Amino acid sequence: MINIENLIKRVDTSEGELVILKGVSLTVNDAETVAIVGASGSGKSTLLGLMAGLDAASSGEVILGGQRLSELDEEQRAVLRGQLVGFVFQSFQLLPSLTALENVMLPIELKNDPNAREKASLLLDRVGLGERRHHYPNQLSGGEQQRVAIARAFASEAQILFADEPTGNLDSATGAKIIELLFSLNKEYSTTLVLVTHDERLARKCHRTIRLVAGEIVSDETNAETSEDAISAGTAHDD
Amino acid sequence: MRPMQKHLKTRFLRVLHMTTDVQTVDNTAAAARPRVQAQAMTLSTLLRLAVRLLWRDWQGGELRLLFLALIMAVTSVTGIALFTDRLEQALLAESANMLAADRVLSGRDEAPSEWIEEARNRNLSTAETMSFGSMVFSDEGNVLVSAKAVSSEYPLRGKLIVAERAFGAGAPIDGGPAPGEVWVESRVLPALSADIGDILYVGNAQLRVTRVIIQEPDRQQGGMMDNAGPRLMLNTADVPATEVIQVGSRVSYRYLFAGASQDLAEYEQWLDERTNGEFRLRDVRDESAEVADALNKAESFLMLGSLFAVLLAGVAIALTARRYAERHFDYVAILKTLGCTSGQIMSLYMSIQVVLVIVAIIVGSFLGWGIHALILQALQAVISVNLPPAGFTPYIIGSMTAIICLLSFALPPLLALRKTSPLRVLRKDLDDNTLGAKLPYGIGLLGSLVLILWYSQDVLLTSILVLAVFGVVLVLAGISWLLLRSSNSVGMKAGSAWKLAMSATRRRRKQNILQVLVFSLTIMSLLILALLRTDLIRDWQAQLPANTPNHFLMNVTEPQVSGIEAFFRENGVEPNQFFPMMSAGVTRINGETPILRRSDEEEQSNLTERSAGTEQAAEQTESEGEEERPRTVSNRQVTWTNRLPIDNQIVEGQWWGDDAQPGFVSLEDDYAERLGAKIGDVMEFDVGQGRLMEATVQSLRTVRWDNMQPNFFIIFSPGSLEGLGGTYLSTALMEQEQKALINGLLQQFPTIVVIEIDALIEQIQNIIAQVTSAIELIAFLVLACGALVLLACVTATLDERFRENAILRTLGAGRRLILSSLFIEFASIGLIAGVIATVGAETSLYYLQTQVFAQDFNLHYWVWLAGPIIGMVVIATLGVMATRRVVNTSPLTVLRHIG
């Protein structure tokens, strides 16, 4: 599903060129859940951004859904994101001017789906916010906002879900609930999940854990406790 | 799975599959890659999203300032355009009353009848008048009158005001006297011991007095000598019966025309082609230099005011749009992660702008109409004519202003939004420089230039304005270069309010330079308008102060002077200076024959010269057909006195004063320049009947020609021309109730001529009062625009100040420290802006006053102190008022709100 070949990202700073990713290569299979872990500044979020087509690499290649991102401009990458990708962010990134329902409707509406309202309502019911669908983000708690964000991510019918520190802004109890919801939906819809996190416990819930240090992959381990799930999920999807 | 969950899941999956056109990706083959092609957002989705965005932004207050700025632009420009449009029509109508027509053709001979016929064929109304001096008799007396025969269509503009008895209250009346009737001014009746209904003898005609003329629209038109004496008006049909007009009689023929501007213009062209430009229709601007001057200056001021309003509204739009755009970075980034393309984002924001501009145009047009109605209401007392309804043009101008302002100022930062990187959802520090691109500013500047040029159609005014703005930008570029050179880290320096403020000023130098630019331009605009307004009004008031004499006394002999002075004193009228007057011509300067270089200023309105009659006629004859050639010098009315006349200023040499010696002369500055005469030159004059005399140039003077006082190009020292004859000229101020004194004066001194210019002065004062009020109101409107810009500019950097100060508060900084630091920071910015604005305003004023408004420029010393202080106080107050919330709100709320 996602192939990364020798990915390099350089940026210019006032102190000269900085190489954030130093030739990263990896493959993420369909329906697989992958955690990317590492210290701050190790290049996790940059890698996530490049994998999701939010940014262009300096060199190397990302193949997303069979499409080489280097061959696409930003416009085409946007279309691809709309078709394939969903996001959950640490800071929720809900549109403050839209209600919970409208936020979830947005990606469905962007596809000109006439049933956007019904689909979004169902998803909000699914994440337990049916009663608060007409609330604006600033009227919701952090956990509730993240649940709306998860509903929005699944509303786009994404095949790949990228999550950047989804529990980073939440207390541990709320975070645990969010993770439960995320993984439950992910399993339900056989979505590929790529997760950036500091949280080792969260990482262990994924099939694989990729560890980044200073822009390089230092380990890529399969988590024993979830490997069975991975195999069954992959098989289910292949079917 | 619980039953409820199961039910939901089933329902959800069912709904997901309701749409059959969902694109799916075949994961097994690269060949089945997703089609990377943007799916157009449907119009309804787009509009729904746009309206929601608009509504929420409105509720959140983010759109309010932008919307307010747009409305302000439409309101001010529509209001000013409506007002100037209607005011100009009113002023022209009021001025047209002074001619009793829109255009006048005048001359000493009758015009060919086909000219008048042609005018009628072109849908123009026509009327004719003939003016001549004549003695009129009653059974008991006689008096020299200024007779005016009018055709039955007279007057075409304005109305005669007549009464049923002498000095009675008048009422307007249509048309003039019918054949067989005469109407006379009040003082004719006591002078003839006659009354309404009596028969008067004009030449061989017997005509019955039926009304008394209280006011006549074009009373002062024509040569001054034609208007010497009280008015007697008769119908042109009675002129042949009077037999007073013979070959060689001095008669002024005036042909009046009125009609649509287009018809008038076409007729003017026809006449011009027919007569090779020899005969020209004249309008009120040609006929009255004083009114033309007031009208021209008022128009320029109104235009300047409008331009500033447009410019300031544009700046306000640019600032608020920029802030709006900055606040939408995250929004766009999220939309992009959801798959929105740049094109869709552009459509979204374009539709928001379209909705915004349409609403702003509707609201602004209504408000603009309301403002102009309010202004007119306020001016009701001084606008004495019925205003024609306004056309659609002002609304179009207002709407175009909003559209062009939005296109040039607001759209660039909003369009820059589409370049926002979606990566911003992960890294907030990205893309802050997207709006820093030079292109949007270039578009904004170009747009405003086009707007100003299109609006003013005045290259000179636009150039001065653009150069002023460019100058301010240049100065600021220099300052910013100096500041940016020292780009070492500044830090917070939170120890004291001063240090904190200074470090904040330097830390935010890019923003602050932009703020100084906006504040400077705003304060500069307001200073220019305020100073120009004061100077214009002061000049106008000085031109015709309340005690301006409204009667000229001419043809006074030397023995009559003391008698007239005594007569005035006995009757409570202050006698003015008597100027001896005679005709003289320059024959040589230092032995050489002088050549007079032509100048437009030679056409200056000069009552003294006009009243001499022959002088002006001679000048006109000379000028016909040879405008470019130097001309020989014609005679001038000259005087001799040891008192420098009112409004004369010596610019070179010395005035002789009471110790005057004969044989010296003082020349008007421009006249001397055109003659090529300098201080110390010996000039030879022909003083009549071939007698020559010499005088040395002792001083050069400036003269205020429009002050309605006796003015002279050439003044001799007393004794120079004594014994050569000549008469005296003086002036007197007689109020309406004193007018009957003229009869007594003329009875006692029958040879003198009294020229009444009270109606003219009243008309000019009335027009000046109108334009003064107009100027005050326009200045006020622009002030309101300026206030909005200042507010918008202060608000533009609020977020960062809020964030910084919230952090400072969490770290324990006190309320007093933060407020003091904010005050000092804004005060410093205001001070710098005030200094730059003052320099810019004075420089612009120099060019505006000398090039556009034909005024003398003097430095306004008090502004050099007041400008910076006003800048400092206003900006500091506004800044602290706008940001003080930061100390009244909990830091957590501020940080959470700003994010």
Side-chain angles (χ1 to χ4, degrees):
Chain A
M1 191 67 174
I2 308 171
N3 283 309
I4 292 174
E5 296 162 2
N6 198 25
L7 201 63
I8 295 175
K9 179 67 180 177
R10 299 185 197 94
V11 289
D12 291 323
T13 67
S14 53
E15 282 125 25
E17 189 182 77
L18 180 69
V19 183
I20 302 175
L21 292 177
K22 300 169 181 167
V24 173
S25 298
L26 68 95
T27 300
V28 179
N29 294 317
D30 290 337
E32 195 175 12
T33 53
V34 177
I36 301 172
V37 296
S40 294
S42 59
K44 307 184 297 289
S45 294
T46 304
L47 179 58
L48 183 90
L50 291 172
M51 287 167 86
L54 295 177
D55 197 10
S58 306
S59 69
E61 189 61 85
V62 176
I63 302 169
L64 185 67
Q67 184 72 52
R68 288 181 176 274
L69 294 190
S70 62
E71 292 171 358
L72 308 180
D73 58 17
E74 167 49 32
E75 292 298 278
Q76 292 167 318
R77 289 202 302 268
V79 177
L80 191 68
R81 284 194 298 270
Q83 291 172 347
L84 284 185
V85 175
F87 291 96
V88 177
F89 301 106
Q90 178 180 1
S91 49
F92 323 132
Q93 301 290 16
L94 299 177
L95 294 182
S97 54
L98 303 185
T99 61
L101 180 67
E102 289 165 345
N103 263 291
V104 182
M105 281 167 67
L106 189 58
I108 314 175
E109 282 181 326
L110 288 173
K111 292 181 172 177
N112 293 329
D113 188 334
N115 302 307
R117 180 171 289 272
E118 196 170 348
K119 286 182 179 179
S121 296
L122 282 172
L123 269 166
L124 278 175
D125 288 338
R126 174 70 183 84
V127 299
L129 287 175
E131 299 297 311
R132 310 201 64 181
R133 69 187 66 187
H134 297 302
H135 286 69
Y136 287 98
N138 61 2
Q139 297 168 320
L140 301 172
S141 69
E144 287 168 333
Q145 287 189 55
Q146 195 61 300
R147 279 194 272 164
V148 177
I150 290 170
R152 182 179 68 182
F154 284 97
S156 65
E157 298 169 26
Q159 296 170 32
I160 309 163
L161 197 62
F162 290 98
D164 180 36
E165 301 276 11
T167 57
N169 274 357
L170 304 172
D171 61 72
S172 55
T174 313
K177 285 180 190 165
I178 288 295
I179 289 304
E180 193 184 330
L181 178 67
L182 184 63
F183 276 80
S184 147
L185 279 170
N186 189 56
K187 194 171 177 182
E188 225 166 274
Y189 303 117
S190 304
T191 316
T192 307
L193 175 67
V194 179
L195 189 76
V196 163
T197 184
H198 277 112
D199 186 344
E200 291 290 343
R201 283 182 306 154
L202 174 56
R204 280 198 295 277
K205 292 181 83 73
C206 296
H207 303 134
R208 277 163 68 194
T209 300
I210 293 166
R211 196 168 302 277
L212 273 183
V213 175
E216 289 177 297
I217 295 178
V218 293
S219 69
D220 184 349
E221 296 164 356
T222 302
N223 295 320
E225 57 191 275
T226 54
S227 57
E228 252 178 62
D229 287 347
I231 293 159
S232 62
T235 313
H237 191 86
D238 287 343
D239 289 343
Chain B
M1 193 179 287
R2 282 180 283 181
M4 182 62 186
Q5 275 180 315
K6 194 172 178 182
H7 166 73
L8 280 173
K9 185 186 170 187
T10 318
R11 210 177 133 207
F12 173 63
L13 289 173
R14 185 159 49 82
V15 171
L16 277 186
H17 291 98
M18 276 163 65
T19 50
T20 52
D21 59 342
V22 174
Q23 291 191 29
T24 54
V25 179
D26 184 344
N27 300 313
T28 55
R33 288 170 184 167
R35 275 191 308 119
V36 184
Q37 195 175 13
Q39 205 171 0
M41 218 190 294
T42 60
L43 190 64
S44 61
T45 307
L46 186 78
L47 279 180
R48 255 205 324 272
L49 192 59
V51 168
R52 266 192 234 128
L53 201 62
L54 202 65
W55 176 240
R56 285 296 297 170
D57 282 344
W58 174 259
Q59 285 187 318
E62 287 170 24
L63 258 185
R64 274 183 218 165
L65 265 181
L66 175 58
F67 188 57
L68 205 62
L70 267 176
I71 287 181
M72 194 73 192
V74 182
T75 304
S76 56
V77 175
T78 309
I80 290 174
L82 272 170
F83 174 58
T84 47
D85 184 51
R86 296 187 74 188
L87 182 75
E88 194 171 344
Q89 290 185 57
L91 288 176
L92 285 176
E94 171 84 11
S95 313
N97 288 349
M98 291 178 72
L99 292 184
D102 293 331
R103 300 284 188 282
V104 168
L105 182 68
S106 56
R108 294 285 174 209
D109 297 306
E110 278 188 87
S113 59
E114 64 262 28
W115 292 4
I116 312 302
E117 201 56 44
E118 179 68 22
R120 289 193 188 120
N121 291 340
R122 290 173 180 272
N123 294 324
L124 297 177
S125 314
T126 64
E128 62 176 282
T129 70
M130 299 158 67
S131 303
F132 48 91
S134 177
M135 289 301 288
V136 60
F137 298 84
S138 68
D139 292 335
E140 293 179 34
N142 63 75
V143 68
L144 175 69
V145 296
S146 162
K148 179 169 174 175
V150 300
S151 63
S152 50
E153 303 86 1
Y154 172 90
L156 298 179
R157 294 280 184 249
K159 280 196 190 311
L160 278 161
I161 293 175
V162 295
E164 301 299 326
R165 57 186 171 83
F167 305 104
I173 188 169
D174 289 327
E181 292 180 3
V182 285
W183 297 354
V184 293
E185 282 182 348
S186 291
R187 70 184 176 84
V188 172
L189 293 179
L192 293 172
S193 303
D195 211 338
I196 296 285
D198 290 353
I199 293 289
L200 299 184
Y201 304 92
V202 184
N204 289 332
Q206 296 182 26
L207 303 165
R208 189 175 299 279
V209 184
T210 53
R211 291 181 201 282
V212 172
I213 301 170
I214 302 299
Q215 199 176 320
E216 177 190 333
D218 55 343
R219 177 68 171 93
Q220 304 300 334
Q221 300 306 315
M224 283 290 179
M225 288 305 283
D226 297 333
N227 289 317
R231 171 72 78 228
L232 176 143
M233 191 175 281
L234 67 162
N235 194 290
T236 43
D238 291 328
V239 173
T242 64
E243 297 181 22
V244 292
I245 297 179
Q246 306 292 332
V247 176
S249 293
R250 188 187 165 96
V251 182
S252 268
Y253 292 90
R254 289 167 59 79
Y255 298 91
L256 314 183
F257 304 92
S261 314
Q262 183 66 25
D263 294 335
L264 283 166
E266 284 172 8
Y267 178 62
E268 273 182 306
Q269 197 181 350
W270 177 86
L271 191 67
D272 195 54
E273 285 165 5
R274 265 305 174 83
T275 65
N276 289 327
E278 195 176 338
F279 291 91
R280 196 166 71 81
L281 292 183
R282 296 168 76 86
D283 63 16
V284 70
R285 293 180 197 238
D286 301 313
E287 295 286 304
S288 169
E290 297 83 5
V291 172
D293 183 65
L295 283 180
N296 290 340
K297 285 178 180 171
E299 275 177 13
S300 292
F301 186 90
L302 293 177
M303 184 53 69
L304 193 70
S306 314
L307 292 185
F308 279 134
V310 171
L311 193 72
L312 293 177
V315 173
I317 290 172
L319 284 170
T320 48
R322 192 184 156 88
R323 181 161 191 253
Y324 178 76
E326 278 170 354
R327 291 196 148 203
H328 277 254
F329 273 138
D330 291 342
Y331 210 115
V332 171
I334 297 169
L335 285 173
K336 282 196 164 183
T337 60
L338 296 177
C340 255
T341 62
S342 299
Q344 289 170 328
I345 285 165
M346 208 168 88
S347 306
L348 176 70
Y349 282 94
M350 284 287 277
S351 42
I352 289 175
Q353 300 311 304
V354 169
V355 172
L356 207 61
V357 85
I358 288 174
V359 179
I361 284 174
I362 294 170
V363 176
S365 296
F366 271 112
L367 288 178
W369 185 89
I371 281 195
H372 115 279
L374 275 180
I375 295 174
L376 290 181
Q377 181 81 23
L379 289 182
Q380 212 173 23
V382 284
I383 297 179
S384 51
V385 291
N386 286 327
L387 291 180
F392 276 106
T393 317
Y395 298 106
I396 294 170
I397 292 176
S399 307
M400 287 303 292
T401 303
I403 293 167
I404 295 178
C405 274
L406 201 67
L407 282 177
S408 50
F409 291 112
L411 219 49
L414 291 173
L415 286 182
L417 271 179
R418 73 200 161 108
K419 292 191 176 162
T420 305
S421 166
L423 195 61
R424 200 179 150 83
V425 293
L426 298 177
R427 293 182 53 197
K428 268 209 158 184
D429 55 323
L430 284 175
D431 281 337
D432 279 348
N433 290 324
T434 311
L435 295 185
K438 303 283 184 293
L439 184 65
Y441 294 108
I443 295 173
L445 284 176
L446 192 69
S448 48
L449 187 67
V450 169
L451 184 66
I452 289 171
L453 248 181
W454 171 69
Y455 189 38
S456 72
Q457 316 248 310
D458 187 331
V459 178
L460 184 62
L461 209 61
T462 308
S463 308
I464 291 175
L465 199 64
V466 169
L467 283 177
V469 173
F470 185 71
V472 170
V473 172
L474 212 64
V475 169
L476 278 162
I479 292 175
S480 56
W481 181 77
L482 282 174
L483 281 176
L484 290 174
R485 269 179 69 196
S486 54
S487 59
N488 48 337
S489 174
V490 178
M492 274 289 206
K493 297 185 177 163
S496 78
W498 271 104
K499 283 182 183 168
L500 191 62
M502 288 303 115
S503 71
T505 311
R506 286 188 63 200
R507 217 170 34 252
R508 277 193 287 271
R509 57 195 149 209
K510 277 185 187 170
Q511 280 179 5
N512 287 342
I513 283 168
L514 178 71
Q515 285 206 327
V516 171
L517 173 69
V518 174
F519 289 145
S520 305
L521 288 180
T522 310
I523 298 171
M524 183 179 82
S525 308
L526 299 179
L527 280 180
I528 289 174
L529 278 192
L531 294 175
L532 201 53
R533 167 207 152 274
T534 311
D535 287 356
L536 275 179
I537 293 173
R538 190 200 56 214
D539 271 16
W540 281 332
Q541 282 169 349
Q543 178 188 335
L544 290 177
N547 60 353
T548 303
N550 52 9
H551 291 79
F552 267 57
L553 279 62
M554 300 189 65
N555 212 27
V556 179
T557 59
E558 194 168 359
Q560 289 174 327
V561 171
S562 54
I564 293 171
E565 283 178 337
F567 176 88
F568 278 146
R569 281 200 190 94
E570 279 165 24
N571 291 286
V573 175
E574 184 65 29
N576 291 327
Q577 185 178 2
F578 279 76
F579 291 91
M581 195 168 76
M582 64 183 296
S583 180
V586 183
T587 47
R588 286 178 193 281
I589 299 174
N590 295 332
E592 303 278 330
T593 307
I595 305 276
L596 188 67
R597 285 195 303 277
R598 185 173 174 76
S599 157
D600 288 339
E601 287 165 34
E602 196 183 340
E603 306 296 334
Q604 289 276 17
S605 167
N606 179 357
L607 283 171
T608 317
E609 300 286 348
R610 265 198 252 163
S611 56
T614 52
E615 195 74 36
Q616 200 182 31
E619 293 279 345
Q620 283 172 351
T621 311
E622 282 171 16
S623 65
E624 279 166 18
E626 48 178 339
E627 297 201 350
E628 302 306 320
R629 295 215 318 258
R631 301 162 311 142
T632 52
V633 182
S634 61
N635 280 13
R636 290 281 179 197
Q637 292 298 320
V638 302
T639 190
W640 54 97
T641 177
N642 55 6
R643 275 163 59 189
L644 188 63
I646 295 169
D647 291 334
N648 279 228
Q649 280 191 328
I650 300 294
V651 289
E652 209 178 328
Q654 283 196 326
W655 182 250
W656 39 73
D658 290 334
D659 304 327
Q661 299 296 314
F664 291 99
V665 66
S666 172
L667 301 177
E668 193 262 345
D669 190 31
D670 289 328
Y671 182 65
E673 193 185 329
R674 283 183 287 124
L675 273 176
K678 310 179 294 295
I679 299 284
D681 282 357
V682 177
M683 298 176 72
E684 182 190 76
F685 294 88
D686 179 346
V687 289
Q689 296 169 351
R691 285 177 299 182
L692 299 173
M693 58 86 59
E694 284 191 344
T696 305
V697 181
Q698 195 175 353
S699 65
L700 303 181
R701 293 166 290 121
T702 55
V703 175
R704 178 156 197 158
W705 294 108
D706 54 6
N707 66 352
M708 299 281 178
Q709 300 276 356
N711 285 316
F712 296 90
F713 286 106
I714 303 164
I715 300 177
F716 287 92
S717 56
S720 305
L721 301 177
E722 259 156 41
L724 295 176
T727 57
Y728 281 78
L729 165 75
S730 188
T731 58
L733 170 63
M734 281 181 274
E735 304 297 351
Q736 194 60 34
E737 61 274 13
Q738 293 175 308
K739 290 214 66 153
L741 285 177
I742 299 171
N743 284 340
L745 186 71
L746 289 172
Q747 268 172 3
Q748 205 171 329
F749 307 98
T751 57
I752 71 167
V753 175
V754 177
I755 296 175
E756 296 157 65
I757 56 165
D758 47 342
L760 177 68
I761 288 180
E762 197 183 321
Q763 277 173 320
I764 293 172
Q765 280 173 335
N766 196 23
I767 287 173
I768 286 174
Q770 287 182 27
V771 295
T772 303
S773 309
I775 279 173
E776 299 274 18
L777 286 155
I778 295 299
F780 175 77
L781 261 186
V782 177
L783 193 72
C785 288
L788 180 70
V789 172
L790 295 182
L791 188 66
C793 194
V794 166
T795 317
T797 54
L798 271 190
D799 285 355
E800 192 175 334
R801 284 178 218 274
F802 260 48
R803 187 182 296 116
E804 261 191 33
N805 289 308
I807 292 168
L808 277 173
R809 284 190 68 206
T810 58
L811 297 178
R815 178 192 165 92
R816 192 190 167 94
L817 176 77
I818 290 177
L819 278 182
S820 309
S821 140
L822 280 172
F823 184 85
I824 293 166
E825 188 184 346
F826 278 114
S828 330
I829 292 175
L831 181 69
I832 297 171
V835 171
I836 295 173
T838 305
V839 176
E842 285 282 52
T843 315
S844 310
L845 273 173
Y846 170 77
Y847 288 102
L848 283 170
Q849 292 194 304
T850 55
Q851 305 298 316
V852 180
F853 289 91
Q855 286 183 304
D856 292 330
F857 172 78
N858 292 307
L859 277 178
H860 306 82
Y861 295 108
W862 63 271
V863 171
W864 289 84
L865 185 65
I869 291 178
I870 290 172
M872 196 166 73
V873 172
V874 171
I875 305 299
T877 311
L878 268 178
V880 172
M881 275 172 63
T883 44
R884 69 177 172 181
R885 266 187 299 146
V886 76
V887 291
N888 296 331
T889 316
S890 82
L892 187 63
T893 313
V894 173
L895 290 172
R896 190 178 286 162
H897 177 71
I898 291 169

